[in-house]
Amino acid sequence: MRGVVLHGPGDVRVEDRADPRIVQPTDAIIRVTAACVCGSDLWPYRGVDKSDEPAPMGHEYVGVVEQVGDQVKTIKAGDFVVGSFFASDNTCEICQAGYQSRCVHAELIGAIGTQAQYARIPLADGTLVATPGPPDAGLVPSLLTASDVLGTGWFGAVAAEAAPGKTVAVVGDGAVGLLGVLAARQLGAERIVVFSRHADRQELATEFGATDILTERGDQGVTQLKELTGGLGAHSVIEAVGTQQSMMQAIRSTRPGGHVGYVGVAHGVALPGEELFFSGVHLHGGPAPVRRFLPELIGLIWDRTIDPGKVFDLELPLEEAAEGYRAMDERRAIKTLLRP
């Protein structure tokens, strides 16, 4: 099969990879009908996350089940499925508490690489959710977002306790931040403030439900936000970047007693203990337990209540994946959809 492999910083190639096969009786093999490039894929692409050898890429996927192992009970060949970017058994105590990304048997799908024609999905019963039937072509991009970027934005909003009557601020105008806006709106937030300097992202944020746009970052952005909120800060803040500046901006934008939902993959983040102690804010986040939300999100998409697929502003065949990476790295695209 053909699949995307990262050979080093800026060096993405589409090349022949071994066809996947059933390894464990709990596995499924899917034919990937759509995959995409994630903002977190840009960390190794830029050389921030280093690898000593070529690495298969991709952890967001939808597709049709081709084959299942002997112990798979809830998924069958022919099903159209959406899966989380972490494989989980969905039965252990951690999964049952709603944190499937930290399942005691969790496997990172990114190590398998779903920017490819086919993929082996471990723990298929706990990882994959079948749609009610074959989806219309127009629903596929939105269903794809549920695999990670929508589920992650949704978790950010839930962790930040976005709710009716609250002001929610979103730090980061990438795909996760934009879908955090959509999630906050669905959860009933009264006011949604997004920090963004890019006109195309501002427009999409507004379409997803943002009420206010702020263009400053860091402490200047915090000052702007507090001016909007009577000097108090937001009730809920979604941190969707993962840098020291974005995390501190999120914490400082939150009023005492408020909540930060952090879902940006942290790189070089160190929290000052004394400032955190006196902030009085709640911090909750990490790798999103997408599997917790998949049934609800698939339902909202299937019923056309939400249209998160609008976050894809570039679609390419799999063979042109390198251009998809470049476009996102250079901010010419918000998110790239790949068609194997």
Side-chain angles (χ1 to χ4, degrees), residues 54-319:
M57 296 297 289
H59 53 266
E60 299 169 276
Y61 57 99
V62 294
V64 177
V65 176
E66 296 273 307
Q67 183 183 2
V68 297
D70 292 343
Q71 293 181 18
V72 176
K73 305 301 182 186
T74 63
I75 299 295
K76 64 183 185 303
D79 284 347
F80 189 94
V81 292
V82 185
S84 168
F85 66 97
F86 264 103
S88 62
D89 59 29
N90 206 34
T91 59
C92 76
E93 287 189 37
I94 304 302
C95 286
Q96 289 300 296
Y99 290 86
Q100 291 91 337
S101 59
R102 308 314 304 145
C103 172
V104 297
H105 299 119
E107 294 188 44
L108 188 59
I109 297 294
I112 292 169
T114 57
Q115 293 167 8
Q117 292 176 305
Y118 296 90
R120 178 183 70 87
I121 307 300
L123 302 170
D125 280 335
T127 305
L128 300 173
V129 176
T131 58
D136 294 340
L139 285 182
V140 170
S142 286
L143 290 168
L144 176 58
T145 67
S147 182
D148 178 358
V149 64
L150 172 61
T152 295
W154 199 274
F155 178 54
V158 169
E161 300 209 356
K166 291 189 176 182
T167 294
V168 178
V170 181
V171 180
D173 64 355
V176 169
L178 292 169
L179 291 175
V181 170
L182 181 152
R185 173 57 64 206
Q186 286 296 307
L187 293 169
E190 180 175 308
R191 190 176 196 181
I192 303 172
V193 184
V194 64
F195 294 93
S196 176
R197 295 178 173 177
H198 303 90
D200 56 339
R201 299 170 189 233
Q202 293 171 359
E203 181 179 351
L204 189 54
T206 301
E207 186 173 349
F208 282 157
T211 57
D212 300 87
I213 305 291
L214 298 180
T215 58
E216 294 300 327
R217 296 177 181 171
D219 288 341
Q220 291 75 27
V222 173
T223 298
Q224 280 191 332
L225 180 69
K226 290 195 170 181
E227 288 174 355
L228 286 180
T229 56
L232 299 177
H235 301 91
S236 306
V237 180
I238 301 169
E239 190 285 316
V241 183
T243 65
Q244 180 72 18
Q245 182 189 65
S246 63
M247 180 64 90
M248 295 314 302
Q249 181 178 338
I251 292 170
R252 291 167 181 166
S253 294
T254 308
R255 65 179 59 195
H259 295 76
V260 175
Y262 58 92
V263 290
V265 181
H267 284 76
V269 175
L271 301 180
E274 186 173 358
E275 179 176 352
L276 185 61
F277 181 80
F278 284 104
S279 70
V281 306
H282 302 75
L283 299 180
H284 184 39
V290 166
R291 180 61 181 81
R292 185 208 303 183
F293 306 113
L294 271 181
E296 179 182 6
L297 298 180
I298 289 171
L300 289 170
I301 292 164
W302 199 263
D303 294 341
R304 291 175 167 79
T305 301
I306 59 174
D307 188 10
K310 291 179 180 178
V311 79
F312 293 111
D313 55 349
L314 179 62
E315 180 174 330
L316 296 170
L318 181 69
E319 292 293 331

